[in-house]
PDB file of all heavy atoms in Angstrom:
ATOM      1  N   VAL L  24    -212.135  20.560-135.772  1.00  0.00           N
ATOM      2  CA  VAL L  24    -212.756  20.046-137.058  1.00  0.00           C
ATOM      3  C   VAL L  24    -214.034  19.383-136.745  1.00  0.00           C
ATOM      4  O   VAL L  24    -214.211  18.679-135.742  1.00  0.00           O
ATOM      5  CB  VAL L  24    -211.744  18.916-137.647  1.00  0.00           C
ATOM      6  CG1 VAL L  24    -211.384  17.837-136.650  1.00  0.00           C
ATOM      7  CG2 VAL L  24    -212.323  18.287-138.880  1.00  0.00           C
ATOM      8  N   THR L  25    -215.023  19.649-137.639  1.00  0.00           N
ATOM      9  CA  THR L  25    -216.461  19.065-137.339  1.00  0.00           C
ATOM     10  C   THR L  25    -216.759  18.424-138.630  1.00  0.00           C
ATOM     11  O   THR L  25    -216.525  18.736-139.798  1.00  0.00           O
ATOM     12  CB  THR L  25    -217.382  20.223-137.213  1.00  0.00           C
ATOM     13  OG1 THR L  25    -217.102  20.912-136.034  1.00  0.00           O
ATOM     14  CG2 THR L  25    -218.897  19.652-137.054  1.00  0.00           C
ATOM     15  N   GLY L  26    -217.330  17.269-138.519  1.00  0.00           N
ATOM     16  CA  GLY L  26    -217.779  16.343-139.646  1.00  0.00           C
ATOM     17  C   GLY L  26    -218.691  15.362-139.224  1.00  0.00           C
ATOM     18  O   GLY L  26    -219.157  15.222-138.030  1.00  0.00           O
ATOM     19  N   THR L  27    -219.070  14.439-140.151  1.00  0.00           N
ATOM     20  CA  THR L  27    -220.024  13.375-139.815  1.00  0.00           C
ATOM     21  C   THR L  27    -219.405  12.035-139.668  1.00  0.00           C
ATOM     22  O   THR L  27    -218.734  11.606-140.746  1.00  0.00           O
ATOM     23  CB  THR L  27    -221.152  13.381-140.884  1.00  0.00           C
ATOM     24  OG1 THR L  27    -221.797  14.543-141.036  1.00  0.00           O
ATOM     25  CG2 THR L  27    -222.161  12.206-140.613  1.00  0.00           C
ATOM     26  N   LEU L  28    -219.354  11.469-138.554  1.00  0.00           N
ATOM     27  CA  LEU L  28    -218.792  10.202-138.423  1.00  0.00           C
ATOM     28  C   LEU L  28    -219.827   9.044-138.865  1.00  0.00           C
ATOM     29  O   LEU L  28    -221.024   9.096-138.288  1.00  0.00           O
ATOM     30  CB  LEU L  28    -218.402   9.842-136.915  1.00  0.00           C
ATOM     31  CG  LEU L  28    -217.462   8.712-136.525  1.00  0.00           C
ATOM     32  CD1 LEU L  28    -216.120   8.990-137.373  1.00  0.00           C
ATOM     33  CD2 LEU L  28    -217.188   8.603-135.073  1.00  0.00           C
ATOM     34  N   GLN L  29    -219.605   8.391-139.876  1.00  0.00           N
ATOM     35  CA  GLN L  29    -220.551   7.407-140.414  1.00  0.00           C
ATOM     36  C   GLN L  29    -220.123   5.929-140.146  1.00  0.00           C
ATOM     37  O   GLN L  29    -218.974   5.645-140.421  1.00  0.00           O
ATOM     38  CB  GLN L  29    -220.689   7.595-141.947  1.00  0.00           C
ATOM     39  CG  GLN L  29    -221.628   6.558-142.617  1.00  0.00           C
ATOM     40  CD  GLN L  29    -221.719   6.667-144.076  1.00  0.00           C
ATOM     41  OE1 GLN L  29    -221.519   7.763-144.571  1.00  0.00           O
ATOM     42  NE2 GLN L  29    -221.905   5.607-144.791  1.00  0.00           N
ATOM     43  N   THR L  30    -221.033   5.176-139.621  1.00  0.00           N
ATOM     44  CA  THR L  30    -220.800   3.805-139.318  1.00  0.00           C
ATOM     45  C   THR L  30    -221.623   2.833-140.243  1.00  0.00           C
ATOM     46  O   THR L  30    -222.877   3.070-140.259  1.00  0.00           O
ATOM     47  CB  THR L  30    -220.902   3.513-137.942  1.00  0.00           C
ATOM     48  OG1 THR L  30    -220.207   4.264-137.038  1.00  0.00           O
ATOM     49  CG2 THR L  30    -220.467   2.099-137.540  1.00  0.00           C
ATOM     50  N   HIS L  31    -220.966   1.890-140.821  1.00  0.00           N
ATOM     51  CA  HIS L  31    -221.689   0.979-141.673  1.00  0.00           C
ATOM     52  C   HIS L  31    -221.495  -0.411-141.112  1.00  0.00           C
ATOM     53  O   HIS L  31    -220.445  -0.809-140.597  1.00  0.00           O
ATOM     54  CB  HIS L  31    -221.156   0.902-143.171  1.00  0.00           C
ATOM     55  CG  HIS L  31    -221.837  -0.213-143.960  1.00  0.00           C
ATOM     56  ND1 HIS L  31    -221.001  -1.228-144.297  1.00  0.00           N
ATOM     57  CD2 HIS L  31    -223.050  -0.417-144.518  1.00  0.00           C
ATOM     58  CE1 HIS L  31    -221.699  -2.164-144.954  1.00  0.00           C
ATOM     59  NE2 HIS L  31    -222.842  -1.674-145.097  1.00  0.00           N
ATOM     60  N   TYR L  32    -222.611  -1.189-140.998  1.00  0.00           N
ATOM     61  CA  TYR L  32    -222.555  -2.502-140.302  1.00  0.00           C
ATOM     62  C   TYR L  32    -222.891  -3.569-141.353  1.00  0.00           C
ATOM     63  O   TYR L  32    -223.823  -3.245-142.309  1.00  0.00           O
ATOM     64  CB  TYR L  32    -223.419  -2.622-139.158  1.00  0.00           C
ATOM     65  CG  TYR L  32    -223.167  -1.690-138.064  1.00  0.00           C
ATOM     66  CD1 TYR L  32    -223.770  -0.453-137.930  1.00  0.00           C
ATOM     67  CD2 TYR L  32    -222.158  -1.942-137.153  1.00  0.00           C
ATOM     68  CE1 TYR L  32    -223.500   0.434-136.953  1.00  0.00           C
ATOM     69  CE2 TYR L  32    -221.895  -1.130-135.985  1.00  0.00           C
ATOM     70  CZ  TYR L  32    -222.541   0.109-135.960  1.00  0.00           C
ATOM     71  OH  TYR L  32    -222.209   0.924-135.009  1.00  0.00           O
ATOM     72  N   ASP L  33    -222.319  -4.725-141.349  1.00  0.00           N
ATOM     73  CA  ASP L  33    -222.738  -5.828-142.206  1.00  0.00           C
ATOM     74  C   ASP L  33    -224.025  -6.364-142.051  1.00  0.00           C
ATOM     75  O   ASP L  33    -224.814  -6.753-142.864  1.00  0.00           O
ATOM     76  CB  ASP L  33    -221.607  -6.972-142.157  1.00  0.00           C
ATOM     77  CG  ASP L  33    -220.235  -6.530-142.613  1.00  0.00           C
ATOM     78  OD1 ASP L  33    -220.196  -5.675-143.550  1.00  0.00           O
ATOM     79  OD2 ASP L  33    -219.249  -7.085-142.160  1.00  0.00           O
ATOM     80  N   GLU L  34    -224.444  -6.315-140.681  1.00  0.00           N
ATOM     81  CA  GLU L  34    -225.799  -6.683-140.233  1.00  0.00           C
ATOM     82  C   GLU L  34    -226.317  -5.496-139.524  1.00  0.00           C
ATOM     83  O   GLU L  34    -225.671  -4.759-138.912  1.00  0.00           O
ATOM     84  CB  GLU L  34    -225.742  -7.898-139.342  1.00  0.00           C
ATOM     85  CG  GLU L  34    -225.136  -9.102-140.013  1.00  0.00           C
ATOM     86  CD  GLU L  34    -225.999  -9.709-141.171  1.00  0.00           C
ATOM     87  OE1 GLU L  34    -227.204  -9.369-141.170  1.00  0.00           O
ATOM     88  OE2 GLU L  34    -225.562 -10.347-142.107  1.00  0.00           O
ATOM     89  N   PRO L  35    -227.733  -5.290-139.547  1.00  0.00           N
ATOM     90  CA  PRO L  35    -228.262  -4.138-138.867  1.00  0.00           C
ATOM     91  C   PRO L  35    -227.761  -4.114-137.466  1.00  0.00           C
ATOM     92  O   PRO L  35    -227.768  -5.184-136.644  1.00  0.00           O
ATOM     93  CB  PRO L  35    -229.700  -4.371-139.078  1.00  0.00           C
ATOM     94  CG  PRO L  35    -229.940  -5.284-140.266  1.00  0.00           C
ATOM     95  CD  PRO L  35    -228.615  -6.159-140.172  1.00  0.00           C
ATOM     96  N   ARG L  36    -227.598  -2.918-137.012  1.00  0.00           N
ATOM     97  CA  ARG L  36    -227.208  -2.692-135.667  1.00  0.00           C
ATOM     98  C   ARG L  36    -228.332  -1.794-134.954  1.00  0.00           C
ATOM     99  O   ARG L  36    -228.462  -0.746-135.319  1.00  0.00           O
ATOM    100  CB  ARG L  36    -225.878  -1.890-135.575  1.00  0.00           C
ATOM    101  CG  ARG L  36    -225.441  -1.539-134.190  1.00  0.00           C
ATOM    102  CD  ARG L  36    -224.578  -2.695-133.497  1.00  0.00           C
ATOM    103  NE  ARG L  36    -223.805  -2.129-132.549  1.00  0.00           N
ATOM    104  CZ  ARG L  36    -223.461  -2.746-131.395  1.00  0.00           C
ATOM    105  NH1 ARG L  36    -223.964  -3.976-131.151  1.00  0.00           N
ATOM    106  NH2 ARG L  36    -222.554  -2.389-130.620  1.00  0.00           N
ATOM    107  N   TYR L  37    -229.048  -2.513-134.023  1.00  0.00           N
ATOM    108  CA  TYR L  37    -230.314  -1.776-133.441  1.00  0.00           C
ATOM    109  C   TYR L  37    -231.188  -1.347-134.612  1.00  0.00           C
ATOM    110  O   TYR L  37    -231.701  -0.272-134.517  1.00  0.00           O
ATOM    111  CB  TYR L  37    -229.901  -0.753-132.548  1.00  0.00           C
ATOM    112  CG  TYR L  37    -228.967  -1.127-131.418  1.00  0.00           C
ATOM    113  CD1 TYR L  37    -227.734  -0.647-131.212  1.00  0.00           C
ATOM    114  CD2 TYR L  37    -229.378  -2.150-130.425  1.00  0.00           C
ATOM    115  CE1 TYR L  37    -226.834  -1.101-130.180  1.00  0.00           C
ATOM    116  CE2 TYR L  37    -228.569  -2.594-129.491  1.00  0.00           C
ATOM    117  CZ  TYR L  37    -227.356  -2.068-129.380  1.00  0.00           C
ATOM    118  OH  TYR L  37    -226.552  -2.577-128.338  1.00  0.00           O
ATOM    119  N   GLY L  38    -231.354  -2.119-135.545  1.00  0.00           N
ATOM    120  CA  GLY L  38    -232.311  -1.828-136.587  1.00  0.00           C
ATOM    121  C   GLY L  38    -231.773  -1.121-137.825  1.00  0.00           C
ATOM    122  O   GLY L  38    -232.648  -0.830-138.834  1.00  0.00           O
ATOM    123  N   HIS L  39    -230.575  -0.757-137.868  1.00  0.00           N
ATOM    124  CA  HIS L  39    -230.145   0.038-139.019  1.00  0.00           C
ATOM    125  C   HIS L  39    -228.779  -0.462-139.453  1.00  0.00           C
ATOM    126  O   HIS L  39    -227.930  -0.787-138.609  1.00  0.00           O
ATOM    127  CB  HIS L  39    -230.056   1.478-138.668  1.00  0.00           C
ATOM    128  CG  HIS L  39    -231.446   2.093-138.430  1.00  0.00           C
ATOM    129  ND1 HIS L  39    -232.229   2.637-139.438  1.00  0.00           N
ATOM    130  CD2 HIS L  39    -232.133   2.186-137.150  1.00  0.00           C
ATOM    131  CE1 HIS L  39    -233.378   2.920-138.808  1.00  0.00           C
ATOM    132  NE2 HIS L  39    -233.360   2.819-137.492  1.00  0.00           N
ATOM    133  N   TYR L  40    -228.432  -0.254-140.774  1.00  0.00           N
ATOM    134  CA  TYR L  40    -227.028  -0.581-141.307  1.00  0.00           C
ATOM    135  C   TYR L  40    -226.226   0.478-141.107  1.00  0.00           C
ATOM    136  O   TYR L  40    -224.916   0.426-141.053  1.00  0.00           O
ATOM    137  CB  TYR L  40    -227.199  -0.915-142.830  1.00  0.00           C
ATOM    138  CG  TYR L  40    -227.686  -2.330-143.199  1.00  0.00           C
ATOM    139  CD1 TYR L  40    -229.135  -2.475-143.475  1.00  0.00           C
ATOM    140  CD2 TYR L  40    -226.881  -3.365-143.123  1.00  0.00           C
ATOM    141  CE1 TYR L  40    -229.529  -3.746-143.812  1.00  0.00           C
ATOM    142  CE2 TYR L  40    -227.350  -4.671-143.415  1.00  0.00           C
ATOM    143  CZ  TYR L  40    -228.645  -4.854-143.726  1.00  0.00           C
ATOM    144  OH  TYR L  40    -229.163  -6.118-143.980  1.00  0.00           O
ATOM    145  N   TYR L  41    -226.676   1.752-141.117  1.00  0.00           N
ATOM    146  CA  TYR L  41    -225.947   2.949-141.051  1.00  0.00           C
ATOM    147  C   TYR L  41    -226.303   3.766-139.756  1.00  0.00           C
ATOM    148  O   TYR L  41    -227.478   3.928-139.528  1.00  0.00           O
ATOM    149  CB  TYR L  41    -226.037   3.905-142.278  1.00  0.00           C
ATOM    150  CG  TYR L  41    -225.636   3.209-143.476  1.00  0.00           C
ATOM    151  CD1 TYR L  41    -226.441   2.434-144.312  1.00  0.00           C
ATOM    152  CD2 TYR L  41    -224.233   3.354-143.904  1.00  0.00           C
ATOM    153  CE1 TYR L  41    -226.074   1.898-145.484  1.00  0.00           C
ATOM    154  CE2 TYR L  41    -223.753   2.762-145.078  1.00  0.00           C
ATOM    155  CZ  TYR L  41    -224.592   2.017-145.850  1.00  0.00           C
ATOM    156  OH  TYR L  41    -224.273   1.490-147.036  1.00  0.00           O
ATOM    157  N   TRP L  42    -225.334   4.447-139.079  1.00  0.00           N
ATOM    158  CA  TRP L  42    -225.594   5.391-138.023  1.00  0.00           C
ATOM    159  C   TRP L  42    -224.643   6.532-138.393  1.00  0.00           C
ATOM    160  O   TRP L  42    -223.542   6.395-138.841  1.00  0.00           O
ATOM    161  CB  TRP L  42    -225.323   4.794-136.691  1.00  0.00           C
ATOM    162  CG  TRP L  42    -226.371   3.829-136.138  1.00  0.00           C
ATOM    163  CD1 TRP L  42    -226.532   2.509-136.474  1.00  0.00           C
ATOM    164  CD2 TRP L  42    -227.615   4.158-135.324  1.00  0.00           C
ATOM    165  NE1 TRP L  42    -227.580   1.935-135.835  1.00  0.00           N
ATOM    166  CE2 TRP L  42    -228.242   3.019-135.138  1.00  0.00           C
ATOM    167  CE3 TRP L  42    -227.971   5.337-134.810  1.00  0.00           C
ATOM    168  CZ2 TRP L  42    -229.399   2.943-134.448  1.00  0.00           C
ATOM    169  CZ3 TRP L  42    -229.282   5.360-134.031  1.00  0.00           C
ATOM    170  CH2 TRP L  42    -229.886   4.084-133.911  1.00  0.00           C
ATOM    171  N   PHE L  43    -225.143   7.774-137.967  1.00  0.00           N
ATOM    172  CA  PHE L  43    -224.431   9.044-138.400  1.00  0.00           C
ATOM    173  C   PHE L  43    -224.299   9.871-137.096  1.00  0.00           C
ATOM    174  O   PHE L  43    -225.276  10.014-136.323  1.00  0.00           O
ATOM    175  CB  PHE L  43    -225.102   9.740-139.471  1.00  0.00           C
ATOM    176  CG  PHE L  43    -225.351   9.063-140.737  1.00  0.00           C
ATOM    177  CD1 PHE L  43    -226.268   8.128-140.897  1.00  0.00           C
ATOM    178  CD2 PHE L  43    -224.342   9.142-141.795  1.00  0.00           C
ATOM    179  CE1 PHE L  43    -226.434   7.450-142.095  1.00  0.00           C
ATOM    180  CE2 PHE L  43    -224.511   8.559-142.907  1.00  0.00           C
ATOM    181  CZ  PHE L  43    -225.655   7.755-143.131  1.00  0.00           C
ATOM    182  N   LEU L  44    -223.109  10.377-136.825  1.00  0.00           N
ATOM    183  CA  LEU L  44    -222.904  11.237-135.633  1.00  0.00           C
ATOM    184  C   LEU L  44    -222.013  12.400-136.084  1.00  0.00           C
ATOM    185  O   LEU L  44    -221.036  12.333-136.639  1.00  0.00           O
ATOM    186  CB  LEU L  44    -222.073  10.355-134.636  1.00  0.00           C
ATOM    187  CG  LEU L  44    -221.668  11.098-133.363  1.00  0.00           C
ATOM    188  CD1 LEU L  44    -222.860  11.505-132.503  1.00  0.00           C
ATOM    189  CD2 LEU L  44    -220.689  10.197-132.563  1.00  0.00           C
ATOM    190  N   THR L  45    -222.713  13.569-135.700  1.00  0.00           N
ATOM    191  CA  THR L  45    -221.895  14.858-135.889  1.00  0.00           C
ATOM    192  C   THR L  45    -220.822  14.989-134.852  1.00  0.00           C
ATOM    193  O   THR L  45    -221.180  14.983-133.676  1.00  0.00           O
ATOM    194  CB  THR L  45    -222.777  16.146-135.862  1.00  0.00           C
ATOM    195  OG1 THR L  45    -223.761  15.947-137.003  1.00  0.00           O
ATOM    196  CG2 THR L  45    -221.976  17.323-136.074  1.00  0.00           C
ATOM    197  N   GLU L  46    -219.567  14.984-135.198  1.00  0.00           N
ATOM    198  CA  GLU L  46    -218.502  14.967-134.192  1.00  0.00           C
ATOM    199  C   GLU L  46    -217.624  16.222-134.358  1.00  0.00           C
ATOM    200  O   GLU L  46    -217.293  16.517-135.571  1.00  0.00           O
ATOM    201  CB  GLU L  46    -217.703  13.709-134.305  1.00  0.00           C
ATOM    202  CG  GLU L  46    -216.598  13.585-133.428  1.00  0.00           C
ATOM    203  CD  GLU L  46    -216.839  13.360-131.969  1.00  0.00           C
ATOM    204  OE1 GLU L  46    -218.027  13.007-131.650  1.00  0.00           O
ATOM    205  OE2 GLU L  46    -215.975  13.500-131.118  1.00  0.00           O
ATOM    206  N   THR L  47    -217.306  16.826-133.269  1.00  0.00           N
ATOM    207  CA  THR L  47    -216.402  17.948-133.287  1.00  0.00           C
ATOM    208  C   THR L  47    -215.221  17.596-132.482  1.00  0.00           C
ATOM    209  O   THR L  47    -215.382  17.230-131.246  1.00  0.00           O
ATOM    210  CB  THR L  47    -216.902  19.225-132.805  1.00  0.00           C
ATOM    211  OG1 THR L  47    -217.978  19.726-133.745  1.00  0.00           O
ATOM    212  CG2 THR L  47    -215.871  20.403-132.813  1.00  0.00           C
ATOM    213  N   ALA L  48    -213.898  17.736-133.046  1.00  0.00           N
ATOM    214  CA  ALA L  48    -212.698  17.467-132.255  1.00  0.00           C
ATOM    215  C   ALA L  48    -211.835  18.593-132.287  1.00  0.00           C
ATOM    216  O   ALA L  48    -211.787  19.369-133.253  1.00  0.00           O
ATOM    217  CB  ALA L  48    -211.990  16.125-132.817  1.00  0.00           C
ATOM    218  N   SER L  49    -211.038  18.807-131.236  1.00  0.00           N
ATOM    219  CA  SER L  49    -210.083  19.814-131.171  1.00  0.00           C
ATOM    220  C   SER L  49    -208.700  19.252-131.131  1.00  0.00           C
ATOM    221  O   SER L  49    -208.532  18.197-130.417  1.00  0.00           O
ATOM    222  CB  SER L  49    -210.315  20.742-129.751  1.00  0.00           C
ATOM    223  OG  SER L  49    -211.583  21.210-129.842  1.00  0.00           O
ATOM    224  N   ALA L  50    -207.779  19.902-131.894  1.00  0.00           N
ATOM    225  CA  ALA L  50    -206.454  19.201-132.011  1.00  0.00           C
ATOM    226  C   ALA L  50    -205.383  20.328-132.004  1.00  0.00           C
ATOM    227  O   ALA L  50    -205.688  21.554-132.499  1.00  0.00           O
ATOM    228  CB  ALA L  50    -206.384  18.373-133.156  1.00  0.00           C
ATOM    229  N   PRO L  51    -204.171  20.044-131.483  1.00  0.00           N
ATOM    230  CA  PRO L  51    -203.073  21.157-131.597  1.00  0.00           C
ATOM    231  C   PRO L  51    -202.765  21.434-133.100  1.00  0.00           C
ATOM    232  O   PRO L  51    -202.882  20.508-133.854  1.00  0.00           O
ATOM    233  CB  PRO L  51    -201.950  20.396-130.895  1.00  0.00           C
ATOM    234  CG  PRO L  51    -202.204  19.048-130.990  1.00  0.00           C
ATOM    235  CD  PRO L  51    -203.722  18.771-130.885  1.00  0.00           C
TER     236      PRO L  51
END
């Protein structure tokens, strides 16, 4: 499964409220 892991912060984290990571996971 491939998708976008999105993180939202209440306060900026290293300059940004949002960070996005394309993540692929394999599962049985």
Side-chain angles (χ1 to χ4, degrees):
V24 57
T25 299
T27 303
L28 197 62
Q29 175 184 329
T30 305
H31 170 253
Y32 299 96
D33 293 331
E34 299 293 335
R36 178 80 155 148
Y37 302 120
H39 296 273
Y40 284 97
Y41 296 92
W42 286 84
F43 300 83
L44 176 67
T45 298
E46 177 71 13
T47 297
S49 301

